[in-house]
């Protein structure tokens, strides 16, 4: 079946502009995660959605970052008033049940460049 | 909170040589352990994971890893590497209860030379 998809694959924006990144998880997966990978660094957790529960926003670096998910479907990550330090690859992952034992399936990522 | 340390940022190795990529973790609770691989210009994919039971875990592409609770390590090994194994390898943990994000190490770039 189809894997996790993300769009756009690349986004170049000017400092101060807002951007919206999209993730389509694997159908039937109840859990969805957003991670950020800055150049030369590991992945850092941003936010987690599980079914209809309140999202875990503990990884969001500032109030400029927000995310929504429609039911158990598409998610959008919004970054307002982008800064140069927001430049990174943003990865989305989904998993069947959101359990710690689950394999997370990753999308190809969106490379964000803030000029 | 848990953390993951990958001791080597880069590991150069010749083709057909053995390789070990080191991973240590710290956590106050039980964790599950994962290795993911990121090939050039591709997304992350699971190599293997340790949940419970036998401490030696076999994964795809001939890789294996051994969970050592006393040393809090989960090193990845392959007895003979190929050029196609050139990639970034990430060790990660989740907490031993429901619904948790992965905590990743900084990654190790494996560079296989002919």
């Amino acid at each position: 079946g189809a894997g996790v998809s993300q769009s756009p694959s690349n986004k170049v924006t000017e400092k101060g502009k807002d951007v919206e990144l999209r993730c389509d998880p694997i159908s039937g997966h109840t859990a969805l995660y957003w991670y950020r990978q800055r150049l030369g660094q590991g992945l850092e957790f941003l936010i987690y959605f599980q079914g209809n529960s309140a999202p875990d926003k503990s990884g969001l670096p500032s109030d400029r970052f927000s995310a929504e998910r429609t039911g158990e479907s598409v998610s959008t990550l919004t970054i307002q008033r982008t800064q140069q330090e927001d430049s990174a690859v943003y990865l989305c992952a989904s998993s069947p049940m959101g359990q710690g034992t689950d394999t997370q399936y990753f999308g190809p990522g969106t490379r964000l460049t803030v000029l | 909170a848990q953390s993951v340390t990958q001791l080597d940022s880069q590991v150069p190795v010749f083709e057909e040589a053995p390789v070990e990529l080191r991973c240590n973790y710290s956590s106050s609770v039980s964790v599950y352990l994962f290795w993911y691989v990121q090939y050039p210009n591709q997304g992350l994919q699971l190599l293997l994971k340790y949940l419970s039971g036998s401490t030696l875990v076999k994964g795809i592409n001939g890789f294996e890893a051994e969970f050592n609770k006393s040393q809090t390590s989960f090193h990845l090994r392959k007895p003979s590497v190929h050029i196609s194994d050139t990639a970034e390898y990430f060790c990660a943990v989740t907490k031993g209860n429901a619904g948790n994000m992965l905590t990743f190490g900084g990654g190790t770039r494996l560079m296989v030379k002919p």
Side-chain angles (χ1 to χ4, degrees):
Chain A
V4 177
S5 60
Q6 293 186 245
S7 61
S9 55
N10 280 284
K11 177 72 176 179
V12 180
T13 190
E14 293 179 347
K15 178 181 171 181
K17 296 283 179 70
D18 298 351
V19 295
E20 208 170 79
L21 312 180
R22 176 188 169 107
C23 172
D24 280 275
I26 293 172
S27 178
H29 281 192
T30 64
L32 186 147
Y33 306 79
W34 283 97
Y35 296 90
R36 178 171 70 175
Q37 185 177 24
R38 290 198 248 190
L39 187 64
Q41 299 184 27
L43 285 81
E44 48 180 329
F45 163 74
L46 296 177
I47 188 169
Y48 156 65
F49 296 90
Q50 171 63 48
N52 295 318
S53 302
D56 180 342
K57 304 180 183 179
S58 60
L60 294 179
S62 79
D63 59 7
R64 296 186 296 105
F65 287 72
S66 63
E68 292 183 348
R69 187 180 186 192
T70 308
E72 293 186 353
S73 183
V74 171
S75 176
T76 55
L77 176 69
T78 302
I79 309 173
Q80 296 178 308
R81 305 181 303 281
T82 52
Q83 304 294 313
Q84 288 184 332
E85 62 262 27
D86 299 335
S87 296
V89 177
Y90 289 82
L91 292 163
C92 175
S94 69
S95 74
M97 299 292 291
Q99 299 292 316
T101 53
D102 279 1
T103 295
Q104 292 184 25
Y105 296 85
F106 284 81
T110 294
R111 183 176 298 277
L112 175 66
T113 303
V114 182
L115 301 177
Chain B
Q2 59 264 32
S3 67
V4 180
T5 303
Q6 292 183 244
L7 296 164
D8 306 297
S9 59
Q10 294 187 65
V11 173
V13 63
F14 286 105
E15 193 173 20
E16 297 183 8
V19 71
E20 178 179 84
L21 306 184
R22 296 180 291 170
C23 173
N24 287 87
Y25 68 94
S26 64
S27 178
S28 57
V29 299
S30 298
V31 295
Y32 301 116
L33 297 141
F34 302 76
W35 276 98
Y36 280 83
V37 60
Q38 187 175 34
Y39 296 106
N41 301 314
Q42 295 186 31
L44 275 80
Q45 65 181 90
L46 182 72
L47 267 181
L48 49 79
K49 62 183 178 182
Y50 173 77
L51 305 181
S52 65
S54 172
T55 57
L56 183 63
V57 181
K58 294 190 183 295
I60 62 171
N61 300 338
F63 283 92
E64 62 182 32
E66 185 153 20
F67 170 59
N68 188 318
K69 188 173 183 179
S70 63
Q71 297 186 7
T72 61
S73 68
F74 191 53
H75 301 332
L76 181 71
R77 302 186 184 100
K78 186 169 182 178
S80 176
V81 294
H82 304 289
I83 295 286
S84 60
D85 293 323
T86 295
E88 188 92 20
Y89 291 79
F90 293 96
C91 182
V93 304
T94 59
K95 286 189 283 187
N97 51 19
N100 278 287
M101 69 295 295
L102 290 159
T103 298
F104 284 90
T108 297
R109 182 170 298 279
L110 177 63
M111 299 174 292
V112 182
K113 301 180 286 185

